[in-house]
Amino acid sequence: MFGKKSTKPQSRIDSLIAHGTRIDGDISFSGGLRIDGEIIGNVRAGAGQASTLVLSEQARVEGAIEVSHLVVNGTI
């Protein structure tokens, strides 16, 4: 009622980090992001925006994750 507004999950994927891809460094995004590869760094969505991060079974993230909605099938 008088709390933080909840945002709806982003229903579309705007970006993809494919299987076999490795990124060393932080990632910032807006909208929807699917990771099938590997990230060594932090993954953050724009503050106050609806965002969805999907980690597939092959995905691996070594770092902090800050998003409004998260679907995890991989490894953090």
Side-chain angles (χ1 to χ4, degrees):
M1 183 170 156
F2 291 108
K4 183 179 175 184
K5 283 186 177 180
S6 65
T7 57
K8 291 183 180 180
Q10 177 67 315
S11 60
R12 71 171 202 254
I13 299 298
D14 299 309
S15 300
L16 168 68
I17 298 174
H19 179 69
T21 302
R22 176 182 165 149
I23 296 177
D24 291 308
D26 294 344
I27 302 289
S28 295
F29 74 99
S30 61
L33 172 63
R34 178 182 170 103
I35 299 176
D36 293 340
E38 181 177 9
I39 306 294
I40 308 300
N42 301 318
V43 180
R44 292 187 174 96
Q49 298 178 4
S51 60
T52 299
L53 175 63
V54 177
L55 301 179
S56 73
E57 294 83 10
Q58 302 90 8
R60 181 172 167 262
V61 175
E62 189 174 316
I65 294 177
E66 296 177 22
V67 297
S68 60
H69 296 91
L70 176 63
V71 178
V72 179
N73 293 308
T75 303
I76 299 176

